[in-house]
Amino acid sequence: VQLQASGGGLVQPGGSLRLSCVASGFTLDYSGMGWWRQAPGGERERVSCISIGYSDVRTNYADSVKGRFTISRDNAKNTVDLRMNRLQPEDTAVYYCAASGAGPSTRSLSYDYWGQGTLVTVSS
Protein backbone atom coordinates (compact mmCIF):
# COMPACT_ATOMS: atom_id res chain seq x y z
CA VAL A 1 0.00 0.00 0.00
CA GLN A 2 1.52 3.28 -1.10
CA LEU A 3 0.55 6.91 -1.18
CA GLN A 4 2.93 9.01 -3.22
CA ALA A 5 2.70 12.76 -2.75
CA SER A 6 4.39 15.26 -5.04
CA GLY A 7 4.28 18.89 -6.09
CA GLY A 8 5.83 20.65 -3.13
CA GLY A 9 8.46 23.33 -3.46
CA LEU A 10 9.41 26.92 -2.76
CA VAL A 11 6.93 29.61 -3.71
CA GLN A 12 6.62 33.30 -2.98
CA PRO A 13 3.76 34.66 -0.90
CA GLY A 14 0.66 35.00 -3.05
CA GLY A 15 1.79 32.23 -5.35
CA SER A 16 0.24 28.86 -6.17
CA LEU A 17 1.16 25.21 -6.05
CA ARG A 18 -0.60 21.99 -6.95
CA LEU A 19 0.00 18.91 -4.86
CA SER A 20 -0.85 15.47 -6.19
CA CYS A 21 -1.26 12.15 -4.40
CA VAL A 22 -1.33 8.80 -6.18
CA ALA A 23 -2.65 5.76 -4.31
CA SER A 24 -1.66 2.21 -5.21
CA GLY A 25 -1.71 -1.31 -3.83
CA PHE A 26 -4.85 -1.05 -1.71
CA THR A 27 -6.26 -4.39 -0.62
CA LEU A 28 -9.25 -2.94 1.18
CA ASP A 29 -11.82 -0.35 0.34
CA TYR A 30 -11.12 3.16 1.38
CA SER A 31 -13.73 5.87 1.24
CA GLY A 32 -11.88 9.08 1.90
CA MET A 33 -8.59 10.80 1.29
CA GLY A 34 -7.20 13.87 2.89
CA TRP A 35 -4.36 16.31 2.94
CA TRP A 36 -2.80 17.10 6.28
CA ARG A 37 0.16 19.29 7.12
CA GLN A 38 2.71 19.73 9.84
CA ALA A 39 4.62 22.95 10.27
CA PRO A 40 8.04 23.03 11.93
CA GLY A 41 7.53 22.60 15.64
CA GLY A 42 3.79 22.21 15.18
CA GLU A 43 1.24 19.45 15.32
CA ARG A 44 -0.25 17.71 12.33
CA GLU A 45 -3.43 19.46 11.21
CA ARG A 46 -6.13 18.76 8.69
CA VAL A 47 -6.08 20.79 5.49
CA SER A 48 -8.80 19.24 3.34
CA CYS A 49 -10.51 15.91 2.81
CA ILE A 50 -12.62 14.39 0.06
CA SER A 51 -14.87 11.37 -0.30
CA ILE A 52 -13.80 8.55 -2.60
CA GLY A 53 -16.11 6.27 -4.49
CA TYR A 54 -19.39 7.97 -3.70
CA SER A 55 -21.52 9.26 -6.54
CA ASP A 56 -21.63 12.63 -4.79
CA VAL A 57 -18.46 14.44 -3.84
CA ARG A 58 -18.12 15.47 -0.23
CA THR A 59 -15.31 17.77 0.83
CA ASN A 60 -14.24 19.69 3.87
CA TYR A 61 -11.62 22.36 4.48
CA ALA A 62 -9.84 23.85 7.44
CA ASP A 63 -11.00 27.41 8.07
CA SER A 64 -7.50 28.70 7.40
CA VAL A 65 -7.53 27.48 3.79
CA LYS A 66 -11.17 27.95 2.77
CA GLY A 67 -11.46 29.97 -0.39
CA ARG A 68 -7.77 29.48 -1.22
CA PHE A 69 -7.33 25.71 -1.52
CA THR A 70 -9.34 23.29 -3.65
CA ILE A 71 -9.27 19.51 -3.34
CA SER A 72 -10.26 17.28 -6.24
CA ARG A 73 -10.16 13.63 -7.11
CA ASP A 74 -9.90 11.27 -10.08
CA ASN A 75 -11.31 7.93 -8.98
CA ALA A 76 -10.19 6.16 -12.16
CA LYS A 77 -6.59 7.19 -11.61
CA ASN A 78 -6.65 6.91 -7.81
CA THR A 79 -5.35 10.44 -7.47
CA VAL A 80 -6.28 13.33 -5.24
CA ASP A 81 -4.98 16.83 -5.94
CA LEU A 82 -4.79 19.92 -3.79
CA ARG A 83 -4.70 23.22 -5.60
CA MET A 84 -3.28 25.91 -3.34
CA ASN A 85 -3.70 29.56 -4.25
CA ARG A 86 -2.72 32.79 -2.47
CA LEU A 87 -0.16 30.93 -0.41
CA GLN A 88 1.10 32.61 2.74
CA PRO A 89 4.17 31.99 4.91
CA GLU A 90 1.95 30.31 7.51
CA ASP A 91 1.15 27.63 4.91
CA THR A 92 4.76 26.45 5.12
CA ALA A 93 4.70 22.82 6.21
CA VAL A 94 5.22 19.24 5.17
CA TYR A 95 2.01 18.15 3.46
CA TYR A 96 0.86 14.56 3.77
CA CYS A 97 -1.84 12.70 1.93
CA ALA A 98 -3.70 9.96 3.73
CA ALA A 99 -6.43 7.42 3.08
CA SER A 100 -9.39 6.68 5.32
CA GLY A 101 -11.93 3.89 5.52
CA ALA A 102 -14.33 6.30 7.24
CA GLY A 103 -15.04 8.74 4.44
CA PRO A 104 -13.59 12.26 4.43
CA SER A 105 -13.08 12.19 8.17
CA THR A 106 -11.73 15.22 9.98
CA ARG A 107 -10.03 12.97 12.54
CA SER A 108 -6.47 11.86 11.86
CA LEU A 109 -7.10 8.57 13.68
CA SER A 110 -9.52 7.63 10.90
CA TYR A 111 -6.67 7.54 8.40
CA ASP A 112 -4.96 4.18 8.07
CA TYR A 113 -2.42 5.00 5.38
CA TRP A 114 -0.11 7.96 5.09
CA GLY A 115 2.24 9.11 2.38
CA GLN A 116 5.78 10.31 2.93
CA GLY A 117 5.00 14.01 2.74
CA THR A 118 6.04 16.81 0.44
CA LEU A 119 7.53 20.08 1.68
CA VAL A 120 5.88 23.37 0.83
CA THR A 121 7.85 26.50 1.68
CA VAL A 122 6.30 29.92 1.23
CA SER A 123 8.90 32.62 1.45
CA SER A 124 10.12 35.70 -0.36
Side-chain angles (χ1 to χ4, degrees), residues 27-85:
T27 58
L28 50 80
D29 292 334
Y30 64 103
S31 55
M33 289 188 70
W35 285 97
W36 297 72
R37 66 186 182 186
Q38 187 166 14
E43 296 185 352
R44 187 171 295 184
E45 64 175 3
R46 175 184 59 96
V47 178
S48 180
C49 308
I50 189 168
S51 58
I52 298 294
Y54 297 107
S55 57
D56 60 325
V57 178
R58 295 181 291 149
T59 61
N60 59 68
Y61 295 90
D63 288 342
S64 59
V65 307
K66 280 181 181 178
R68 299 188 298 124
F69 291 11
T70 302
I71 192 169
S72 61
R73 72 184 192 192
D74 185 328
N75 284 349
K77 297 181 180 179
N78 285 336
T79 59
V80 173
D81 289 352
L82 184 70
R83 177 67 177 178
M84 305 185 295
N85 294 327

Side-chain angles (χ1 to χ4, degrees), residues 11-17 68-69 84-89 91 122:
V11 63
Q12 292 186 342
S16 299
L17 280 175
R68 299 188 298 124
F69 291 11
M84 305 185 295
N85 294 327
R86 304 199 308 275
L87 283 160
Q88 300 301 318
D91 295 315
V122 185

